[in-house]
Amino acid sequence: KAGVTQTPRYLIKTRGQQVTLSCSPISGHRSVSWYQQTPGQGLQFLFEYFSETQRNKGNFPGRFSGRQFSNSRSEMNVSTLELGDSALYLCASSLAGLARFNLITDTQYFGPGTRLTVL
Amino acid sequence: AQKVTQAQTEISVVEKEDVTLDCVYETRDTTYYLFWYKQPPSGELVFLIRRNSFDEQNEISGRYSWNFQKSTSSFNFTITASQVVDSAVYFCALMYGGSQGNLIFGKGTKLSVKP
């Protein structure tokens, strides 16, 4: 079956603009989680959505928001972009989510990421 | 405060050696979850394992094994008979905070396995 897809793969924006990234989970997966990876801050968790509801959240400012649609596809939006938002943004999907999935039958699958550059 | 420490920044071993990656965590929560992820040079993250705080059983999956010890707040990862394909950055992570919880990562350990 198809893996987790993220679009676009690369994006260049300027400071002050806003951006929307998309993540399509594996068919049947209801949880989508988002992550930011930078050389300086490392890997950081943004948020997790399950059945259109935000379930868990990291320590990011309100400029970072997300949503999930009824088909489980998720979008992440960053408003008023700053230079420090330049990063690789990863999403992952699983059947039941980070804190709920059955250890035997569930696994988290990651997409290839979206590389965002803010100029 | 919650924290994940991976003290080993880089490790280099020769193929077939066993290697242990250390992970020490801090949390006051009684219910929490620990994870290990692998990020090979290709960049795509790979989930390896999740453990909840009530399950201290060690886990073995092929050449991989995990040792969870609440007494020392550690969740160490051992690769037996390492292979070149094991070369990657390995991240340990802690999820805490209940139903609206947060997930924090260690800085990662870069493992290089040389032939």
Side-chain angles (χ1 to χ4, degrees):
Chain A
K1 54 185 173 182
V4 178
T5 58
Q6 292 187 245
T7 56
R9 292 293 310 280
Y10 302 90
L11 203 50
I12 299 176
K13 291 285 188 179
T14 56
R15 275 182 302 174
Q17 287 188 308
Q18 77 164 22
V19 67
T20 299
L21 311 182
S22 179
C23 175
S24 292
I26 288 173
S27 177
H29 284 191
R30 297 167 67 187
S31 164
V32 173
S33 50
W34 288 89
Y35 307 81
Q36 181 198 65
Q37 188 172 28
T38 62
Q41 298 298 316
L43 262 174
Q44 296 186 85
F45 170 70
L46 282 152
F47 32 65
E48 180 192 24
Y49 282 85
F50 182 85
S51 292
E52 303 178 65
T53 300
Q54 187 179 90
R55 184 186 272 177
N56 296 293
K57 190 175 186 306
N59 299 325
F60 276 80
R63 299 187 298 109
F64 292 82
S65 63
R67 60 177 176 169
Q68 187 179 32
F69 302 94
S70 58
N71 62 357
S72 293
R73 187 178 71 85
S74 178
E75 288 182 347
M76 188 193 79
N77 184 76
V78 188
S79 62
T80 320
L81 283 165
E82 301 176 359
L83 295 178
D85 297 333
S86 293
L88 179 67
Y89 290 89
L90 298 161
C91 77
S93 76
S94 68
L95 282 170
L98 286 166
R100 307 280 174 89
F101 62 69
N102 180 295
L103 293 177
I104 295 174
T105 62
D106 202 1
T107 294
Q108 219 183 352
Y109 295 91
F110 284 83
T114 294
R115 173 75 63 184
L116 172 65
T117 302
V118 182
L119 302 175
Chain B
Q2 278 62 224
K3 190 176 179 182
V4 176
T5 302
Q6 294 181 258
Q8 305 149 309
T9 307
E10 290 193 43
I11 300 176
S12 183
V13 299
V14 176
E15 214 172 13
K16 296 184 184 176
E17 279 187 43
D18 297 348
V19 58
T20 295
L21 309 183
D22 297 333
C23 174
V24 174
Y25 63 92
E26 292 177 32
T27 180
R28 291 186 178 179
D29 287 13
T30 54
T31 300
Y32 52 89
Y33 303 87
L34 296 164
F35 300 76
W36 274 96
Y37 298 92
K38 173 183 179 179
Q39 190 170 39
S42 60
E44 202 155 317
L45 267 176
V46 177
F47 163 87
L48 295 176
I49 191 171
R50 186 199 79 157
R51 261 286 174 265
N52 71 52
S53 52
F54 299 108
D55 184 0
E56 287 191 74
Q57 266 193 325
N58 289 334
E59 175 85 12
I60 298 175
S61 177
R63 296 184 297 106
Y64 294 173
S65 63
W66 290 269
N67 184 340
F68 176 28
Q69 291 198 335
K70 285 176 77 170
S71 59
T72 55
S73 296
S74 65
F75 187 41
N76 296 337
F77 172 34
T78 297
I79 302 175
T80 303
S82 59
Q83 300 176 1
V84 172
V85 294
D86 296 327
S87 297
V89 180
Y90 291 86
F91 295 95
C92 179
L94 165 70
M95 182 158 202
Y96 64 92
S99 59
Q100 285 290 312
N102 191 8
L103 174 68
I104 57 173
F105 290 84
K107 295 292 186 187
T109 297
K110 182 177 181 180
L111 174 64
S112 298
V113 182
K114 304 194 184 307

